[in-house]
mmCIF file of all heavy atoms in Angstrom:
data_model
loop_
_atom_site.group_PDB
_atom_site.id
_atom_site.type_symbol
_atom_site.label_atom_id
_atom_site.label_comp_id
_atom_site.label_asym_id
_atom_site.label_seq_id
_atom_site.Cartn_x
_atom_site.Cartn_y
_atom_site.Cartn_z
ATOM 1 N N LYS A 188 9.661 -4.608 -36.990
ATOM 2 C CA LYS A 188 9.784 -5.746 -37.828
ATOM 3 C C LYS A 188 11.111 -6.385 -37.724
ATOM 4 O O LYS A 188 11.233 -7.593 -37.859
ATOM 5 C CB LYS A 188 9.381 -5.217 -39.260
ATOM 6 C CG LYS A 188 7.960 -5.088 -39.525
ATOM 7 C CD LYS A 188 7.141 -6.442 -39.412
ATOM 8 C CE LYS A 188 5.691 -6.275 -39.786
ATOM 9 N NZ LYS A 188 4.983 -7.546 -39.658
ATOM 10 N N MET A 189 12.204 -5.576 -37.606
ATOM 11 C CA MET A 189 13.489 -6.107 -37.518
ATOM 12 C C MET A 189 13.599 -6.893 -36.187
ATOM 13 O O MET A 189 14.277 -7.957 -36.091
ATOM 14 C CB MET A 189 14.543 -5.035 -37.563
ATOM 15 C CG MET A 189 14.707 -4.512 -39.009
ATOM 16 S SD MET A 189 16.100 -3.359 -39.250
ATOM 17 C CE MET A 189 15.431 -1.806 -38.522
ATOM 18 N N LYS A 190 13.027 -6.407 -35.110
ATOM 19 C CA LYS A 190 13.053 -7.170 -33.813
ATOM 20 C C LYS A 190 12.274 -8.479 -34.019
ATOM 21 O O LYS A 190 12.774 -9.529 -33.520
ATOM 22 C CB LYS A 190 12.344 -6.256 -32.787
ATOM 23 C CG LYS A 190 13.159 -5.028 -32.320
ATOM 24 C CD LYS A 190 12.358 -4.235 -31.293
ATOM 25 C CE LYS A 190 13.035 -3.028 -30.853
ATOM 26 N NZ LYS A 190 14.310 -3.256 -30.013
ATOM 27 N N LEU A 191 11.168 -8.406 -34.677
ATOM 28 C CA LEU A 191 10.396 -9.619 -34.982
ATOM 29 C C LEU A 191 11.246 -10.658 -35.677
ATOM 30 O O LEU A 191 11.259 -11.875 -35.377
ATOM 31 C CB LEU A 191 9.118 -9.265 -35.743
ATOM 32 C CG LEU A 191 8.202 -10.527 -36.062
ATOM 33 C CD1 LEU A 191 7.769 -11.245 -34.871
ATOM 34 C CD2 LEU A 191 6.993 -10.007 -36.901
ATOM 35 N N ALA A 192 11.941 -10.139 -36.735
ATOM 36 C CA ALA A 192 12.859 -11.087 -37.563
ATOM 37 C C ALA A 192 13.893 -11.675 -36.690
ATOM 38 O O ALA A 192 14.125 -12.895 -36.870
ATOM 39 C CB ALA A 192 13.480 -10.290 -38.673
ATOM 40 N N SER A 193 14.511 -10.994 -35.786
ATOM 41 C CA SER A 193 15.505 -11.484 -34.880
ATOM 42 C C SER A 193 14.939 -12.704 -34.011
ATOM 43 O O SER A 193 15.538 -13.743 -33.799
ATOM 44 C CB SER A 193 16.062 -10.436 -33.978
ATOM 45 O OG SER A 193 16.929 -11.032 -33.071
ATOM 46 N N ALA A 194 13.749 -12.404 -33.430
ATOM 47 C CA ALA A 194 13.146 -13.436 -32.602
ATOM 48 C C ALA A 194 12.763 -14.668 -33.439
ATOM 49 O O ALA A 194 12.973 -15.800 -32.951
ATOM 50 C CB ALA A 194 11.889 -12.875 -31.842
ATOM 51 N N LEU A 195 12.191 -14.507 -34.567
ATOM 52 C CA LEU A 195 11.869 -15.589 -35.394
ATOM 53 C C LEU A 195 13.032 -16.431 -35.884
ATOM 54 O O LEU A 195 13.003 -17.647 -35.925
ATOM 55 C CB LEU A 195 11.105 -15.069 -36.649
ATOM 56 C CG LEU A 195 9.646 -14.614 -36.386
ATOM 57 C CD1 LEU A 195 9.015 -13.874 -37.621
ATOM 58 C CD2 LEU A 195 8.761 -15.708 -35.829
ATOM 59 N N ARG A 196 14.167 -15.710 -36.123
ATOM 60 C CA ARG A 196 15.383 -16.522 -36.492
ATOM 61 C C ARG A 196 15.766 -17.308 -35.269
ATOM 62 O O ARG A 196 16.186 -18.535 -35.506
ATOM 63 C CB ARG A 196 16.477 -15.494 -36.830
ATOM 64 C CG ARG A 196 17.782 -16.163 -37.261
ATOM 65 C CD ARG A 196 18.906 -15.118 -37.471
ATOM 66 N NE ARG A 196 19.232 -14.479 -36.202
ATOM 67 C CZ ARG A 196 20.081 -15.043 -35.220
ATOM 68 N NH1 ARG A 196 20.566 -16.222 -35.435
ATOM 69 N NH2 ARG A 196 20.358 -14.356 -34.179
ATOM 70 N N ASN A 197 15.691 -16.797 -34.044
ATOM 71 C CA ASN A 197 16.173 -17.555 -32.965
ATOM 72 C C ASN A 197 15.256 -18.755 -32.733
ATOM 73 O O ASN A 197 15.651 -19.740 -32.101
ATOM 74 C CB ASN A 197 16.135 -16.663 -31.677
ATOM 75 C CG ASN A 197 17.417 -15.722 -31.626
ATOM 76 O OD1 ASN A 197 18.492 -16.263 -31.976
ATOM 77 N ND2 ASN A 197 17.195 -14.560 -31.193
ATOM 78 N N LEU A 198 14.002 -18.700 -33.109
ATOM 79 C CA LEU A 198 13.037 -19.796 -33.017
ATOM 80 C C LEU A 198 13.141 -20.810 -34.195
ATOM 81 O O LEU A 198 12.428 -21.773 -34.237
ATOM 82 C CB LEU A 198 11.608 -19.257 -32.958
ATOM 83 C CG LEU A 198 11.252 -18.629 -31.650
ATOM 84 C CD1 LEU A 198 9.907 -17.932 -31.781
ATOM 85 C CD2 LEU A 198 11.239 -19.598 -30.545
ATOM 86 N N GLY A 199 13.994 -20.407 -35.158
ATOM 87 C CA GLY A 199 14.230 -21.313 -36.282
ATOM 88 C C GLY A 199 13.245 -21.151 -37.476
ATOM 89 O O GLY A 199 13.265 -21.893 -38.454
ATOM 90 N N ASP A 200 12.408 -20.078 -37.365
ATOM 91 C CA ASP A 200 11.455 -19.720 -38.474
ATOM 92 C C ASP A 200 12.124 -18.790 -39.420
ATOM 93 O O ASP A 200 11.934 -17.541 -39.383
ATOM 94 C CB ASP A 200 10.222 -19.080 -37.830
ATOM 95 C CG ASP A 200 9.255 -18.783 -38.939
ATOM 96 O OD1 ASP A 200 9.471 -19.050 -40.110
ATOM 97 O OD2 ASP A 200 8.050 -18.322 -38.526
#
Side-chain angles (χ1 to χ4, degrees):
K188 282 293 183 178
M189 286 187 284
K190 289 176 182 292
L191 177 61
S193 173
L195 290 171
R196 182 187 65 80
N197 283 321
L198 287 171
D200 183 0

